[in-house]
Amino acid sequence: MKHDIAVRFLDIAPEVQTTLAAGGAVVALESTIITHGMPHPQNVATAREVEAVVRENGAVPATIAIIEGRIKIGLSDAELDWLGTATDVMKLSRADLPYAVASGRHGATTVAATMICAHLAGIRVFATGGIGGVHQGVEDTMDISADLDELARTPVAVICAGAKAILDLPRTLEYLETRGVPVVGYRTDRFPAFWSRTSELSVPLRLDSPDAMADLIRTKEALGLAGGVLVANPVPSADEIPADEMKSFIDAAVAEAKARGVVGKAVTPFLLSHLFEKTAGRSLATNISLVKNNAALAAQLTVSLTR
């Protein structure tokens, strides 16, 4: 069944296909960071740098996007350049991924959509910046990212710097626990808050090596437990913005979004843009650092899984 899907909907880059067929290490990378997360030209430059980090750590990168309705597992240089300035690119999660494919649209994949496409291609590990989660004010909006349910159902390990600190982090962790998703702190006892290395929250689990994380993933699969594993990897200390400093910026950004009536998928890009302006670009520099850091760990984990 998966082979039929791959043939019908997926275009797997030759290097990725060859590596997967040989049982080698491949890391999935998302594309919303290119289209909705960073300005041009930093978006394309960062995407290339992240792919290079994956290679430096022994794995093959597979950046995922939908172009003219085809699910691309690994982008060519030309496709990546085009995506960096493309317009009319949908921001895709589980609900609208099939629409984009059926309609021949262009789309950038969020965490949830990247997990789905990676799993279809047989990729077990995915590096991102930060996952989506439970939004502040959820009691009024019911705004909960599809990323959380995807982690509960799709067997892909996600390496992140925690959830984006613009979210309701305590409720995000509670939701993940309810859905049975293992949340592992990598060499940390505190849940990282994206731009900041720590929050006031403890991580449920801690592991200190890629091999130990690979053992957890294999054991989870052997027990027949569905879903993925979330690995929370703190941003390097030299590049963090401390949580107490970041809080004032975030509170102001959330208030501005509410005042302007920004809702749904537009919330996160609006908040990231607002924070970039208010931190004089520091938030973007931290974002780039943490994505590279996550890519390195994802590659090391993937290599461990292939042993």
Side-chain angles (χ1 to χ4, degrees):
M1 177 64 176
K2 186 186 284 191
H3 175 73
D4 293 341
I5 293 171
V7 170
R8 185 175 177 190
F9 298 117
L10 272 59
D11 293 334
I12 304 179
E15 182 187 18
V16 175
Q17 182 80 282
T18 300
T19 304
L20 289 172
V26 176
V27 172
L29 301 168
E30 66 165 287
S31 49
T32 51
I33 196 170
I34 302 169
T35 58
H36 295 77
M38 293 184 185
H40 187 268
Q42 288 102 325
N43 55 356
V44 173
T46 299
R48 288 214 163 90
E49 290 167 5
V50 170
E51 289 190 345
V53 168
V54 170
R55 293 187 187 281
E56 289 163 7
N57 286 273
V60 171
T63 300
I64 295 174
I66 286 70
I67 299 176
E68 294 182 340
R70 299 294 298 174
I71 299 173
K72 303 286 185 175
I73 309 293
L75 299 180
S76 68
D77 286 343
E79 288 168 336
L80 186 53
D81 281 334
W82 172 84
L83 194 62
T85 57
T87 57
D88 195 28
V89 178
M90 297 179 68
K91 182 181 179 184
L92 300 178
S93 192
R94 169 174 280 267
D96 34 29
L97 175 63
Y99 171 85
V101 173
S103 305
R105 295 286 301 274
H106 307 311
T109 54
T110 60
V111 169
T114 306
M115 290 180 72
I116 293 166
C117 297
H119 180 53
L120 288 174
I123 301 171
R124 302 171 74 185
V125 179
F126 159 41
T128 186
I131 62 164
V134 178
H135 280 259
Q136 296 187 39
V138 66
E139 58 273 17
D140 297 320
T141 65
M142 286 301 292
D143 192 349
I144 300 173
S145 171
D147 296 352
L148 303 186
D149 273 353
E150 206 60 52
L151 279 157
R153 66 174 20 129
T154 300
V156 172
V158 178
I159 316 299
C160 68
K164 294 182 178 71
I166 53 180
L167 302 168
D168 187 327
L169 297 186
R171 283 175 165 156
T172 297
L173 276 180
E174 285 291 345
Y175 194 94
L176 287 166
E177 181 182 23
T178 297
R179 300 293 282 124
V181 178
V183 178
V184 179
Y186 182 65
R187 299 180 179 175
T188 182
D189 296 312
R190 311 300 293 180
F191 189 64
F194 197 65
W195 297 281
S196 310
R197 286 181 58 81
T198 62
S199 68
E200 75 281 6
L201 304 168
S202 299
V203 284
L205 308 169
R206 172 177 174 153
L207 291 172
D208 292 344
S209 73
D211 286 346
M213 291 189 294
D215 286 341
L216 168 63
I217 292 167
R218 292 192 195 98
T219 301
K220 186 172 181 290
E221 292 171 351
L223 291 170
L225 298 174
V229 171
L230 184 68
V231 178
N233 182 34
V235 62
S237 56
D239 299 311
E240 80 159 334
I241 303 175
D244 55 351
E245 181 182 355
M246 201 66 201
K247 185 177 186 303
S248 61
F249 294 125
I250 292 170
D251 289 347
V254 170
E256 183 69 16
K258 186 173 182 179
R260 295 193 190 186
V262 180
V263 295
K265 289 184 180 181
V267 171
T268 297
F270 174 87
L271 294 176
L272 295 179
S273 176
H274 189 89
L275 289 168
F276 172 76
E277 178 185 339
K278 296 303 180 183
T279 62
R282 289 173 66 201
S283 63
L284 177 60
T286 300
N287 195 348
I288 292 170
S289 172
L290 65 85
V291 171
K292 291 179 183 177
N293 192 47
N294 294 339
L297 181 57
Q300 294 160 19
L301 172 56
T302 312
V303 169
S304 291
L305 281 170
T306 61
R307 290 186 184 129

